[in-house]
Amino acid sequence: SFMIVGVVDKGHKAVLKPEDKLKISENEALEILKAASHGCRLDSFEGSHAIVNGAQTAWEMLHDEAMLTRITTSCTDLDNILGGGISCKEVTEIGGVPGIGKTQFGYLFAILDFCINLELLLLLRGNRNYRIQLAVNVQIPADYGGLGGKAIYIDTEGSFMVERAMQIAEACIKDMLEYDGLLRKDSQTRHLKMQPKELLGNIFYFRICSYTEQIAMINFLEKFVSEHKDVKVVIIDSITLHFRQDFDDMALRTRVLSGMALKLMKLAKTFSLAVVLLNQVTTKYSEGSFHLSLALGDSWSHACTNRVILYWNGNERYAYIDKSPSLRSASAPYSVLYNFAVLCNHASRKLGEI
Amino acid sequence: MLAHFYQGQQALLLKTGCSNPTSNELLFFFFGSVEDLLIHDLYVLVALAEQQSNSERLKQGITQVLSIIDGQHQPWLNGMDLLEDAQQNKHLLSTGCERIDFLLQGGLREGHLTELVGPSSSGKTQVCLQVASNVAKEYSGSVVFFDTGNSFSPKRIEQILGQLSDHSDIESNKILEQVMSNIVCHPVFDIFTLLDVLHQLESKLRSQVYGGSKVRLLIVDSISSLITPILGGSSAQGHALMIAAGFLLKELAHRHNLSAVVTNHMVGGEGGTLKPALGESWRSMPHVRLHLFRDSKSSICNMSILRHPYIVSAFAHMIL
C-alpha cells in the first residue's frame, strides 16, 4: 500500500496532512499523480477548456479571428478574394513563374504591414462621397510609428533590390500623406513626418546562401521574434531554392522540409504573424503532357495553410486561390505598376505597366 | 502478502490480499510453474485439486490467483458481448453530407479510426470541418480538433452551420454559440504534444471529471505532417511513435465510444502515381480508409473507399 506524504493545493496550503494515510493501490496512486501533473502544467496557448488544456472553443476563436488584422495586397480585387488580405496566424504560399511578380508581393508585404489597412485603401481608391464618410469613421492609429508592423525578409535568391523597395516606400508615403490630408480636413493639420528610410528601417533582412543556413535561420526565428514582438510578417523568398539541387538523400529532404513547415506553422500561430512563402514552379510530366506545378512536389504541398498561384492569362497577370480552409477558389487580376504603390486594380493598368 | 511463483528464469510477482498464507505455498508446491497453472483449463485444475487432501484450500488459492491474473488484462469478450457492445454503444455518426453517409452506409462509426487520404486541396479539411459541425449540432456532442496546419477555420464552421440550420435569426445566434462552444480546437505542432494531449484526454475521460457534453468525435488534421519529420532515417523511433499514436487513437475510440478521424497526404509512388504517405505499416492501422481526389479545376470531389471492415469498395461524387 502507498502512503501519501502530504497534499498541497495551488496556494501551497496543506490539504491532507501526513497523518492521514491513504491506503490505495499502485494503479490508483499512478492515476492521481498523472492527473495532478496534467492539471498543473502551464500551456503555451491560451484557453483552458475542460476537456483538454490549452484548447479553445470554436466560438472563442471566431471572436478572436474577427479582431485579427489582415495585410492588404493593395489590390482590391485580390484582397476581396483573400477575404481582406493575407491573414496573420497562417502560412500562405505564393507560387508562380519567374517574372510574374512574386518578389513584388514580398516587398509589398514588408512595407505595407506597417500601417495601412483595407479601409485606408478603400478610402484612396473609392469614390469621393464614400471617402469622406469613411474618413470620419475610420479608426486612426495613434501615431504612425507606433502601430508597429516590422517585417522579416529572408532572401535566398538574392533578388531583393533596395532601390525598388525605396520606390515602393516612397509611393506608400505619398498615399499616406494623401490620406492624412483627407482625414484632417476638419481638425488641425498634423504633419506626417515620415521618411521612406524609416519604412525601410522596419525590415529585418537576412541573406541565406545554403540549405544549412536556411534550416538554422528557421530555428533561430522563434528566438528572434520573441525578442522583437512587433514583427508582423515573415517573408521567405524563395523557400525551395536551396533544396532543389545538391540533395542526394530524398528521404532526408522530405524530413527536413516537413520539419521546417511545422516550425513555420508554430511560429505563425504562437506569435500571430503572417508567414508568406514565395515558391518557384517546375515542369511536371503527367497524363501525357507537361504542366507547371510548384517546386518540391507533393510532400511540400501540404506545408501551407493557404496557397495562391500567380499565372499569365494572355497578357494579364492573374492570381488564383488554390488552397484555403475558408475561402472559395477564385481568380483575380492584378498589375505591377512602375512608380505607384506597387500593385493596383486592373482598371489602373493604363497608368503604365511594367 | 506476496506470493512468488518461479518458472525457471522468469518470476511473476503477484500481490494477493490473501489472508491465508499456506494456500499460496501449497499452490507453488503443487503446480511448480506459472505456465502449468495458466495452460490448464479451470475444470482440469479443480479436478486435479480434488485429488489432493487439502483440496478446499487449493481451490480457494486457484480462484484467487486466477482472479488476480484476470485483473491484469482486458476482460475476455465473446461474440455476443461484442455484438451487444456494437449495437448499444457504437452508433453511426452522420457526416452532414448525404452522399458520404450513403457511401458509408450511415456515417462514421464510433469505435473506428477513419483516415481521409488525398492530394493537396482535395477537400480533406473541408470534410473534417463538415463532420465536426454536424456532430456538434445533431448529436450535441463535443468535438476535439487537433490542428497541425492552422487550417481550423471558425468562419467556415459558422458558414456550414448556417447552411445546416433552418431556425429564425433570433434563436440561431444562441444555438450557434452553443454548438460552436462544443467544438474545441487545440493546435499541435509535434508528435510528442499530440501523444501528451491524447493521454490527458484519456485520463480525463476515464476519470470522468469534466462537465459538459460527451466527446463524440476526435479529429487530427493532419497526422502525416506530425509524423513525416520523424519517420525514416537511421533510428526506428519515428516508426514506433507513429504506431503508438495510431494505437492510442484506436483505444480511445473503442474504450470511450467516440469516432476518430485523421487526415493523410499523398506522396509519389512508382510510375508517377500517387500513394498515401506514412508507408506500409500505417496502411493497416485505420479501420476505414477513404481516398479523396478532385478533378483538376473543378469543384467536384470524389471519394472512394480504400479499406473498410464490411463495405466493398465504392465511389461517391459530391460538391463541397
Side-chain angles (χ1 to χ4, degrees), chain A residues 31 41 56 58 305 307 325-326, chain B residues 120 126 149-150 153 183 185 196:
Chain A
E31 290 296 323
R41 187 145 335 141
Q56 268 188 304
T305 313
R307 192 179 312 122
S326 57
Chain B
S120 175
Q126 292 305 313
N150 296 334
S153 167
I183 304 177
C185 175
D196 186 32

Side-chain angles (χ1 to χ4, degrees), chain A residues 4 37 88-89 108 137 211 218 223 249 264 277 291 338:
Chain A
I4 299 274
S37 68
C88 297
K89 277 199 175 184
L108 200 72
N137 297 335
Y211 67 84
I218 304 232
K223 182 159 177 285
D249 188 352
L264 290 171
L277 310 175
H291 62 267
Y338 184 59

Side-chain angles (χ1 to χ4, degrees), chain A residues 81-317:
Chain A
I81 64 169
L82 283 171
I86 304 284
S87 101
C88 297
K89 277 199 175 184
E90 287 179 4
V91 175
T92 307
E93 184 181 5
I94 301 182
V97 290
I100 200 154
K102 298 192 298 291
T103 312
Q104 306 305 316
F105 275 109
Y107 292 134
L108 200 72
F109 296 138
I111 289 168
L112 274 188
D113 74 319
F114 180 64
C115 49
I116 302 184
N117 56 32
L118 184 61
E119 284 154 0
L120 170 59
L121 256 129
L122 280 177
L123 255 187
L124 297 172
R125 312 276 176 225
N127 68 44
R128 189 161 175 77
N129 293 333
Y130 186 56
R131 271 195 234 175
I132 293 172
Q133 184 62 44
L134 261 190
V136 179
N137 297 335
V138 79
Q139 210 170 5
I140 307 148
D143 66 303
Y144 281 105
L147 252 206
K150 301 208 171 155
I152 295 180
Y153 196 102
I154 298 177
D155 188 3
T156 60
E157 292 179 336
S159 56
F160 185 85
M161 311 233 304
V162 189
E163 300 82 5
R164 179 68 178 144
M166 191 70 142
Q167 231 175 27
I168 296 170
E170 281 165 352
C172 282
I173 291 185
K174 213 167 70 122
D175 275 350
M176 281 202 295
L177 275 172
E178 206 179 312
Y179 160 73
D180 198 47
L182 209 68
L183 198 65
R184 300 288 184 179
K185 245 170 64 166
D186 301 331
S187 51
Q188 66 216 356
T189 47
R190 191 191 80 165
H191 279 298
L192 179 60
K193 291 191 184 94
M194 191 131 69
Q195 302 298 318
K197 285 200 182 141
E198 266 182 59
L199 279 181
L200 289 187
N202 287 322
I203 305 178
F204 295 108
Y205 175 81
F206 295 95
R207 175 83 171 93
I208 303 287
C209 302
S210 74
Y211 67 84
T212 332
E213 281 181 37
Q214 190 168 338
I215 299 169
M217 181 68 226
I218 304 232
N219 288 337
F220 172 64
L221 269 178
E222 192 175 334
K223 182 159 177 285
F224 188 84
V225 175
S226 58
E227 285 165 11
H228 298 88
K229 285 266 162 63
D230 43 4
V231 169
K232 284 277 178 301
V233 65
V234 176
I235 301 151
I236 305 187
D237 177 18
S238 65
I239 191 96
T240 57
L241 180 70
H242 294 296
F243 288 91
R244 294 181 71 185
Q245 61 249 41
D246 296 340
F247 233 102
D248 298 324
D249 188 352
M250 285 311 225
L252 177 64
R253 191 182 88 164
T254 313
R255 285 201 299 282
V256 166
L257 283 173
S258 41
M260 219 166 65
L262 271 183
K263 290 198 187 88
L264 290 171
M265 288 286 179
K266 186 174 182 187
L267 194 73
K269 182 80 178 185
T270 325
F271 297 102
S272 287
L273 320 164
V275 178
V276 179
L277 310 175
L278 303 178
N279 197 3
Q280 297 155 343
V281 289
T282 181
T283 13
K284 217 179 185 184
Y285 182 77
S286 81
E287 292 155 22
S289 66
F290 289 99
H291 62 267
L292 294 176
S293 67
L294 290 180
L296 290 185
D298 309 296
S299 51
W300 179 250
S301 52
H302 68 284
C304 58
T305 313
N306 303 304
R307 192 179 312 122
V308 176
I309 300 206
L310 310 177
Y311 64 99
W312 286 103
N313 190 358
N315 267 341
E316 293 171 358
R317 294 176 162 98

Side-chain angles (χ1 to χ4, degrees), chain B residues 194-218:
Chain B
L194 179 70
L195 290 171
D196 186 32
V197 171
L198 286 176
H199 280 124
Q200 259 186 54
L201 185 62
E202 193 198 13
S203 53
K204 282 236 171 84
L205 286 174
R206 209 164 353 138
S207 54
Q208 292 167 330
V209 280
Y210 69 95
S213 30
K214 180 175 176 307
V215 177
R216 291 203 179 264
L217 184 64
L218 197 73

Side-chain angles (χ1 to χ4, degrees), chain B:
Chain B
M1 178 70 201
L2 290 171
H4 296 259
F5 290 83
Y6 295 98
Q7 189 219 331
Q9 290 80 28
Q10 294 167 17
L12 178 68
L13 287 166
L14 291 175
K15 245 189 256 185
T16 68
C18 182
S19 51
N20 192 344
T22 55
S23 67
N24 298 318
E25 283 152 7
L26 277 171
L27 276 173
F28 167 54
F29 183 71
F30 184 70
F31 288 106
S33 75
V34 179
E35 213 181 318
D36 288 340
L37 188 66
L38 290 174
I39 283 176
H40 293 99
D41 203 12
L42 183 62
Y43 304 108
V44 173
L45 290 174
V46 169
L48 280 172
E50 291 277 333
Q51 291 162 16
Q52 299 299 312
S53 52
N54 40 11
S55 58
E56 279 309 310
R57 279 213 209 127
L58 270 179
K59 278 194 229 168
Q60 252 182 21
I62 290 172
T63 28
Q64 267 170 359
V65 167
L66 286 178
S67 66
I68 289 160
I69 295 175
D70 274 341
Q72 304 280 333
H73 65 79
Q74 292 268 37
W76 296 112
L77 293 171
N78 62 30
M80 284 307 295
D81 294 333
L82 282 172
L83 183 64
E84 205 182 294
D85 177 56
Q87 282 171 341
Q88 286 178 359
N89 299 330
K90 305 280 194 284
H91 307 114
L92 286 165
L93 298 172
S94 158
T95 58
C97 177
E98 266 177 33
R99 302 215 177 183
I100 303 182
D101 285 345
F102 184 70
L103 179 72
L104 294 173
Q105 292 182 9
L108 299 172
R109 183 175 275 279
E110 291 171 343
H112 273 183
L113 173 63
T114 306
E115 181 191 22
L116 297 168
V117 60
S120 175
S121 88
S122 51
K124 308 188 285 294
T125 307
Q126 292 305 313
V127 171
C128 290
L129 293 174
Q130 172 92 30
V131 178
S133 316
N134 197 57
V135 167
K137 181 168 180 288
E138 294 297 322
Y139 303 91
S140 308
S142 266
V143 177
V144 184
F145 196 108
F146 294 113
D147 184 16
T148 70
N150 296 334
S151 30
F152 181 78
S153 167
K155 202 168 61 162
R156 180 74 185 126
I157 300 243
E158 193 186 8
Q159 269 177 19
I160 295 172
L161 287 172
Q163 284 168 2
L164 288 175
S165 97
D166 36 29
H167 291 110
S168 67
D169 277 329
I170 310 157
E171 324 172 326
S172 67
N173 202 37
K174 222 175 7 162
I175 294 177
L176 189 72
E177 175 176 357
Q178 201 181 15
V179 172
M180 285 184 77
S181 304
N182 275 336
I183 304 177
V184 171
C185 175
H186 192 295
V188 278
F189 300 108
D190 61 85
I191 187 76
F192 301 105
T193 315
L194 179 70
L195 290 171
D196 186 32
V197 171
L198 286 176
H199 280 124
Q200 259 186 54
L201 185 62
E202 193 198 13
S203 53
K204 282 236 171 84
L205 286 174
R206 209 164 353 138
S207 54
Q208 292 167 330
V209 280
Y210 69 95
S213 30
K214 180 175 176 307
V215 177
R216 291 203 179 264
L217 184 64
L218 197 73
I219 301 177
V220 183
D221 178 23
S222 63
I223 202 163
S224 52
S225 20
L226 296 178
I227 295 174
T228 329
I230 52 169
L231 199 60
S234 51
S235 83
Q237 194 198 24
H239 193 267
L241 287 168
M242 170 175 84
I243 303 291
F247 275 136
L248 190 51
L249 285 166
K250 289 209 285 195
E251 194 195 335
L252 267 172
H254 177 71
R255 192 89 70 97
H256 303 283
N257 302 322
L258 48 91
S259 185
V261 177
V262 294
T263 60
N264 191 6
H265 67 280
M266 301 195 98
V267 289
E270 287 157 37
T273 54
L274 292 175
K275 61 173 186 178
L278 300 182
E280 291 296 307
S281 324
W282 178 260
R283 263 179 75 183
S284 48
M285 188 67 74
H287 295 106
V288 179
R289 291 192 105 193
L290 300 170
H291 176 46
L292 278 91
F293 52 99
R294 199 193 282 251
D295 300 328
S296 46
K297 306 266 173 141
S298 92
S299 55
I300 299 182
C301 295
N302 302 298
M303 187 188 271
S304 72
I305 296 184
L306 288 178
R307 180 179 194 240
H308 197 285
Y310 51 81
I311 299 179
V312 175
S313 308
F315 288 91
H317 307 279
M318 62 218 143
I319 298 182
L320 281 177

